[in-house]
C-alpha cells in the first residue's frame, strides 16, 4: 500500500466529517430560520386580526383605561372570552397588551395585568413602531421578560396602530408554542444525521476502493512510460537527420523564391509581426541609401522613413495596423523616402501571412510609386476646385442636366435661390423647379434660348425668372446647361416705374382738368352772375313797390319761380366752387392738412355724380382729429379711389340701402381713416392680390387695377399703412393709418 493511498484515505475521512458537520449545522439553521419566519408572519397577521376585529369593542377601552374597578374586570373577562375564540385553533401560548406607557393592560396569564413593562426592550421597540421577535428555548433564560421558560416558544412584540392613522397606540406581546415543531425538528435532524453518515460512509468506502485500483494502474503505467521514452529517444535521433536534409531543401527553395521576387519590378517586403523585414527583393534594396548594408535596415520604418522608431500613424495609417484591424488585404497611401532621401508617394498593398493554424505571422507588402499620378490628381482637383469656386461665385443659378432633364450638378447660387440644400437639388427633374405652364421642356430642344418664366420655391412661393439653356456634349452624350436668374427686383422696379408713371399721368390729367375747369367755370360764372344780378334787381323792385304801396308787387307764381331761380343759382355756384377747389393744381410739398375737410369736400363732390344718386354717403368724423402733414392732392386722390371702389361695390350688390361710410378716429401715434361699404366683400385670394398692379375684379373697361396699388404707394410714401378687412357677403373696410408730427403726438398722448 503506497503512501499516496494512505494520505488520500486520511484526508478523505477528515473531509467527510467536516462535510457532515456543515450539513447538519446548515439543516438546523435553515429549520430554525423557517420556523422563525413562519411565526413572524403568523403573529403579525394575528395581531392585525385582533386589532381590526376587537379594536372598537375592547382594545381601545383597554388602552385608554377608561373603565375602572369591576367594569375593567368585566371588560377584561369579555375580551378574554372573545380572544380565546380567535386563537382557539392556533398554537398561541400567551397574549399580552401594553399601553403607551408600557403598563400591561391585558395578559392571558393571570396576575400579570397592571405590571410595568417599560423596561422590556421588546415593548420599547414596539411602542416606537418596530416589530421585534426571537426564539425562546425551554429551560433557558428569556432576556426580554427576564424569566426561565419551560417550553420552546417564539415571542414577538408588535405595535398597535390606530385604524385611521399610523400613530402607535400600544403593543402586542404574542407567545407561540413551538415545542411540537422543535421536537419534530430534532427527530428529523437525528434521522438526517444517521442517513447522511450512512450515505457518506458508503461513498467514502467506494472512493477508497476506486482510488486503490487507480493507484495500482498508475504504477503499471509508469513502467510502460519508461519504455515509451526509450523509443522516443531513438525517434529523435532519426528526426534530426531528416531535419538536416529538410533544411538543405528549404535553403534551395529560399534561393528560388528570392530569384522570383527579385524579378518583380516594384519593391516587395516580407515583414514579421514585430515589423522586422525577413525578406526583400532587389527593388526594395534599392531604397536603402548607397554604401549601407541591408542588415543595417532590419525594420520597415528604417527603410521607408529613415527613422529608428515605429511610425506613429500621424500623417498616414500604418499598413500593418490596417491588416490587423481588417484581417484582410489592405491598400493605403504613404509618404516615403527613396535612397537619396527624396520624398515619394507610394501606394502600399499589404497582404496578411497566416500559419497553418490561422495565426497571423506577418505581411507581404508591395509598394507602387504613384508620385506622378498623385501630382496629376492634385492638379485635376485644383482645377475642379477652381471651377467650382467660379461657379459658386456666379450670382445666377447654374444647373447641368442630362437629356432626361435630371439635374446632375448645381452651384451654391442655385441652392440659395431655391432655398434648398444643394444635395436635395441633385437627381431631381428640372421641370419641378418651375411652374407647370411655363413650357420649360421646350427650351431643352433649342440652344441658346432665353425665356421669361415662373419658378417655385418651397413648392408654393412663386417668383419670376429668366431661363437660359444651352447644349454641350460630354462622354458621347448630350447635356444641357441651364442658367436661372431671379428677376423679382427687376419686375418690382418695372411695377414701381409703372405706378410712378400712372401717378404723374394722373397729376398731369388733373392739372389739365383744372385748367379746363377754370376756363369753363369762368365762362359759366358770367351767366350765373348775370342771372343772380337780375334776380337781385327783381327782389329790389319788389321791395320798392311794397314800400310805396303802389300795388305792383309780384304775384305768387312769379315769386315762387324767383325763389327757385335763386336756389338753383346758389346751388350751381356751390358746385362750381367745389369743382374748382378739387381740380385746381396744388403744390406737391407736404403741409399740415385738415383730413376731415378733405373727406367732406371729396364726399360732397362725389354726391354730384348721377351714378351714385341711389347710394347713401355717410361721414362720421372725429372732431378731435389733429392736422396731418401730407400732400393734400395725393390724400384726396386716395380718398377718391377708395370711395369710388366702395360705391362700385355697394351698387354692385342687390341690397335695399347701398351705403358707403367714411369714419375718422384718433389712434396711437396717428389717425385712422376707415372707408366702409356693404358690398359683396372679398375672399382670401382676392385680398391677397388686392394691392398688386393691374389686378382687378371689375369688368373690362371699368377698371385698370392700379387704384389700390397707387393708394398703397402714396400712403407708404407718407410713412403710413393701408389695410383691408373683408369677408364674402359682409362688406369691406379699408383702413388708412397716417402718423402725425412729434408735437401733435405729444398732444394726443397727453389728452390735449
Amino acid at each position: 500500500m503506497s503512501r499516496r493511498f494512505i494520505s488520500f484515505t486520511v484526508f478523505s475521512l477528515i473531509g467527510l466529517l467536516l462535510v457532515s458537520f456543515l450539513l447538519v449545522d446548515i439543516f438546523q439553521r435553515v429549520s430554525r430560520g423557517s420556523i422563525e419566519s413562519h411565526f413572524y408572519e403568523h403573529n403579525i397577521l394575528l395581531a392585525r386580526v385582533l386589532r381590526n376585529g376587537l379594536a372598537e369593542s375592547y382594545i381601545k377601552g383597554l388602552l385608554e383605561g377608561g373603565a375602572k374597578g369591576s367594569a375593567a374586570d368585566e371588560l377584561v373577562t369579555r375580551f378574554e372570552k372573545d380572544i380565546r375564540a380567535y386563537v382557539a385553533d392556533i398554537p398561541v401560548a400567551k397574549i399580552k397588551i401594553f399601553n403607551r406607557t408600557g403598563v400591561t393592560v391585558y395578559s392571558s396569564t393571570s396576575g400579570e395585568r397592571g405590571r410595568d413593562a417599560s423596561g422590556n426592550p421588546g415593548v420599547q421597540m414596539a411602542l416606537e413602531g418596530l416589530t421585534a421577535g426571537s426564539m425562546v428555548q425551554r429551560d433557558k433564560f428569556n432576556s426580554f421578560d427576564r424569566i426561565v421558560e419551560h417550553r420552546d416558544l417564539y415571542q414577538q412584540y408588535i405595535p398597535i396602530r390606530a385604524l385611521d392613522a399610523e400613530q402607535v397606540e400600544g403593543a402586542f406581546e404574542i407567545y407561540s408554542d413551538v415545542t411540537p415543531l422543535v421536537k419534530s425538528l430534532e427527530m428529523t435532524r437525528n434521522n438526517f444525521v444517521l442517513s447522511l453518515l450512512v450515505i457518506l460512509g458508503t461513498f467514502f468506502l467506494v472512493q477508497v476502493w476506486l482510488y486503490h485500483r487507480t493507484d495500482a494502474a498508475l504504477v503499471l503505467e509508469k513502467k510502460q512510460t519508461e519504455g515509451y521514452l526509450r523509443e522516443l529517444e531513438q525517434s529523435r535521433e532519426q528526426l534530426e537527420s531528416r531535419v538536416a536534409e529538410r533544411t538543405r531543401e528549404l535553403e534551395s527553395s529560399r534561393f528560388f523564391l528570392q530569384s522570383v521576387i527579385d524579378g518583380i519590378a516594384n519593391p516587395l517586403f516580407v515583414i514579421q509581426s514585430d515589423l522586422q523585414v525577413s525578406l526583400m527583393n532587389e527593388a526594395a534594396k534599392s531604397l536603402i541609401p548607397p554604401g549601407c548594408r541591408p542588415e543595417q535596415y532590419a525594420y520597415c520604418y528604417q527603410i521607408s522613413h529613415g527613422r529608428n522608431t515605429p511610425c506613429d500613424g500621424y500623417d498616414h495609417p500604418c499598413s500593418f495596423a490596417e491588416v490587423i484591424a481588417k484581417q484582410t488585404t489592405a491598400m493605403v497611401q504613404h509618404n516615403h523616402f527613396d535612397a537619396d532621401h527624396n520624398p515619394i508617394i507610394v501606394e502600399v498593398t499589404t497582404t496578411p501571412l497566416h500559419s497553418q493554424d490561422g495565426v497571423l505571422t506577418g505581411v507581404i507588402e508591395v509598394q507602387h510609386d504613384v508620385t506622378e499620378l498623385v501630382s496629376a490628381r492634385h492638379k485635376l482637383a485644383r482645377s475642379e476646385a477652381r471651377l467650382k469656386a467660379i461657379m459658386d461665385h456666379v450670382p445666377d443659378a447654374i444647373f447641368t442636366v442630362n437629356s432626361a432633364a435630371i439635374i446632375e450638378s448645381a452651384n451654391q447660387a442655385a441652392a440659395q435661390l431655391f432655398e434648398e440644400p444643394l444635395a436635395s437639388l441633385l437627381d431631381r427633374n428640372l421641370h419641378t423647379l418651375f411652374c407647370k405652364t411655363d413650357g420649360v421642356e421646350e427650351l431643352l430642344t433649342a440652344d441658346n434660348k432665353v425665356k421669361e418664366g415662373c419658378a417655385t420655391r418651397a413648392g408654393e412661393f412663386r417668383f419670376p425668372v429668366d431661363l437660359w439653356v444651352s447644349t454641350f456634349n460630354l462622354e458621347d452624350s448630350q447635356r444641357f446647361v441651364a442658367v436661372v436668374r431671379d428677376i423679382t427686383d427687376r419686375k418690382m422696379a418695372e411695377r414701381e416705374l409703372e405706378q410712378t408713371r400712372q401717378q404723374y399721368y394722373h397729376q398731369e390729367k388733373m392739372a389739365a382738368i383744372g385748367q379746363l375747369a377754370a376756363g369753363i367755370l369762368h365762362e359759366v360764372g358770367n351767366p350765373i352772375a348775370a342771372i343772380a344780378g337780375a334776380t337781385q334787381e327783381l327782389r329790389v323792385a319788389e321791395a320798392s313797390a311794397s314800400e310805396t304801396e303802389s300795388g305792383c308787387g309780384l304775384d305768387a307764381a312769379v315769386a315762387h319761380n324767383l325763389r327757385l331761380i335763386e336756389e338753383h343759382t346758389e346751388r350751381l355756384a356751390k358746385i362750381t366752387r367745389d369743382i374748382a377747389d378739387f381740380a385746381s393744381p396744388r403744390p406737391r410739398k407736404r403741409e399740415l392738412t385738415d383730413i376731415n375737410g378733405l373727406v367732406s369736400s371729396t364726399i360732397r363732390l362725389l354726391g354730384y355724380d348721377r351714378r351714385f344718386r341711389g347710394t347713401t354717403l355717410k361721414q362720421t368724423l372725429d372732431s378731435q382729429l389733429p392736422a396731418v402733414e401730407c400732400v393734400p392732392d395725393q390724400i384726396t386722390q386716395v380718398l377718391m379711389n377708395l370711395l369710388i371702389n366702395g360705391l362700385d361695390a355697394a351698387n354692385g350688390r342687390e341690397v335695399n340701402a347701398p351705403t358707403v361710410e367714411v369714419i375718422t378716429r384718433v389712434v396711437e401715434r396717428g389717425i385712422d381713416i376707415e372707408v366702409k361699404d356693404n358690398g359683396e366683400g372679398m375672399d382670401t385670394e382676392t385680398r391677397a392680390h388686392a394691392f398688386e398692379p393691374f389686378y382687378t375684379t371689375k369688368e373690362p373697361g371699368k377698371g385698370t387695377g392700379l387704384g389700390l396699388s397707387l393708394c398703397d404707394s402714396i400712403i407708404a410714401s407718407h410713412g403710413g399703412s393701408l389695410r383691408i378687412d373683408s369677408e364674402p357677403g359682409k362688406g369691406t373696410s379699408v383702413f388708412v393709418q397716417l402718423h402725425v408730427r412729434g408735437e401733435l403726438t405729444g398732444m394726443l398722448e397727453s389728452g390735449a
Side-chain angles (χ1 to χ4, degrees), residues 11-32:
F11 282 114
S12 297
L13 183 59
I14 294 172
L16 176 66
L17 295 176
L18 288 175
V19 169
S20 301
F21 175 77
L22 289 175
L23 289 177
V24 171
D25 184 64
I26 291 171
F27 175 82
Q28 192 162 353
R29 288 176 181 270
V30 170
S31 301
R32 185 183 182 89

Side-chain angles (χ1 to χ4, degrees), residues 361-630:
T361 59
V363 295
I364 299 176
E365 186 177 287
V366 180
Q367 300 179 2
H368 302 273
D369 190 345
V370 293
T371 305
E372 295 182 358
L373 177 61
V374 171
S375 177
R377 288 177 178 172
H378 287 170
K379 291 179 181 178
L380 179 60
R382 285 196 296 270
S383 298
E384 291 178 349
R386 188 181 304 111
L387 177 60
K388 186 177 185 301
I390 293 172
M391 292 276 289
D392 288 341
H393 284 79
V394 173
D396 296 333
I398 301 177
F399 299 92
T400 60
V401 298
N402 59 18
S403 57
I406 301 301
I407 299 174
E408 295 180 338
S409 66
N411 63 349
Q412 288 295 333
Q416 295 173 1
L417 178 62
F418 290 95
E419 296 182 358
E420 292 190 29
L422 192 60
S424 67
L425 292 174
L426 303 182
D427 298 327
R428 284 180 57 180
N429 195 300
L430 184 65
H431 300 160
T432 61
L433 301 178
F434 298 91
C435 302
K436 296 181 180 179
T437 59
D438 275 356
V440 177
E441 61 274 5
E442 297 176 1
L443 289 177
L444 299 181
T445 60
D447 194 10
N448 296 326
K449 297 293 183 182
V450 180
K451 179 179 180 179
E452 185 177 307
C454 169
T456 60
R457 182 182 298 138
E460 296 181 358
F461 181 75
R462 298 186 176 188
F463 58 97
V465 295
D466 277 344
L467 175 62
W468 175 84
V469 178
S470 181
T471 61
F472 67 96
N473 293 323
L474 180 65
E475 298 177 352
D476 298 331
S477 61
Q478 189 180 46
R479 297 288 194 277
F480 296 90
V481 175
V483 180
V484 182
R485 175 174 296 173
D486 188 354
I487 59 174
T488 303
D489 293 339
R490 190 180 79 190
K491 288 292 185 182
M492 290 179 63
E494 291 176 356
R495 286 196 295 268
E496 291 175 359
L497 179 61
E498 179 63 21
Q499 290 175 359
T500 305
R501 188 184 70 80
Q502 290 293 333
Q503 289 180 4
Y504 279 104
Y505 168 74
H506 179 76
Q507 292 169 2
E508 292 295 332
K509 181 177 67 173
M510 294 299 294
I513 292 173
Q515 294 176 358
L516 178 61
I520 295 173
L521 293 174
H522 178 72
E523 295 298 326
V524 173
N526 291 332
I528 293 174
I531 295 171
T535 305
Q536 186 65 27
E537 289 179 359
L538 289 175
R539 287 293 185 188
V540 172
E542 181 185 10
S544 299
S546 299
E547 291 176 358
T548 59
E549 298 180 356
S550 59
C552 296
L554 302 176
D555 60 11
V558 174
H560 173 74
N561 290 332
L562 186 60
R563 286 194 301 273
L564 190 62
I565 291 172
E566 288 177 339
E567 179 182 346
H568 284 282
T569 301
E570 179 62 28
R571 183 168 178 266
L572 184 58
K574 186 172 179 291
I575 291 173
T576 56
R577 286 196 302 270
D578 288 340
I579 294 175
D581 290 341
F582 179 77
S584 60
R586 296 176 183 149
R588 289 183 54 80
K589 66 178 182 179
R590 296 187 181 183
E591 59 186 39
L592 286 176
T593 305
D594 178 15
I595 298 299
N596 284 343
L598 289 182
V599 172
S600 298
S601 62
T602 306
I603 290 178
R604 188 167 56 249
L605 185 63
L606 285 175
Y608 303 140
D609 194 333
R610 296 183 60 185
R611 295 175 298 170
F612 308 126
R613 291 289 174 84
T615 305
T616 302
L617 281 170
K618 294 182 180 180
Q619 48 182 330
T620 304
L621 306 180
D622 190 346
S623 60
Q624 301 297 322
L625 201 71
V628 177
E629 192 176 56
C630 64

Side-chain angles (χ1 to χ4, degrees), residues 255-264:
F255 177 78
F256 175 76
L257 177 61
Q258 185 67 48
S259 300
V260 171
I261 65 173
D262 286 342
I264 299 175

Side-chain angles (χ1 to χ4, degrees), residues 27 31 35 138 152 178-192:
F27 175 82
S31 301
I35 292 174
R138 62 178 176 271
D152 292 312
V178 297
T179 303
L181 289 176
V182 172
K183 290 182 178 180
S184 176
L185 176 63
E186 290 176 353
M187 184 179 297
T188 304
R189 182 193 60 193
N190 295 335
N191 294 334
F192 173 75

Side-chain angles (χ1 to χ4, degrees), residues 193-314:
V193 170
L194 181 61
S195 301
L196 181 64
L197 290 176
V198 172
I199 294 172
L200 292 179
T202 304
F203 175 77
F204 173 74
L205 294 176
V206 172
Q207 189 178 22
V208 169
W209 177 73
L210 290 175
Y211 190 85
H212 175 70
R213 294 193 59 183
T214 302
D215 184 66
L218 288 175
V219 173
L220 178 62
E221 185 177 355
K222 181 179 179 181
K223 295 180 181 179
Q224 294 177 349
T225 301
E226 291 175 352
Y228 293 151
L229 289 175
R230 288 191 295 271
E231 294 178 358
L232 286 174
E233 184 65 23
Q234 296 175 358
S235 299
R236 185 185 65 79
E237 295 175 354
Q238 295 176 0
L239 182 60
E240 286 180 353
S241 61
R242 294 180 61 186
V243 167
E245 181 181 358
R246 187 61 177 171
T247 301
R248 290 191 294 272
E249 294 178 355
L250 288 176
E251 287 294 332
S252 176
S253 300
R254 181 180 179 84
F255 177 78
F256 175 76
L257 177 61
Q258 185 67 48
S259 300
V260 171
I261 65 173
D262 286 342
I264 299 175
N266 294 317
L268 183 145
F269 300 88
V270 177
I271 304 174
Q272 299 176 2
S273 58
D274 59 354
L275 302 181
Q276 186 173 3
V277 179
S278 61
L279 186 65
M280 69 178 77
N281 62 356
E282 290 297 327
K285 293 177 182 178
S286 66
L287 299 175
I288 299 175
C292 298
R293 297 192 309 273
E295 292 79 8
Q296 296 175 330
Y297 290 81
Y299 294 92
C300 61
Y301 47 83
Q302 293 176 327
I303 300 173
S304 61
H305 292 82
R307 56 190 295 176
N308 292 322
T309 57
C311 302
D312 54 10
Y314 177 75

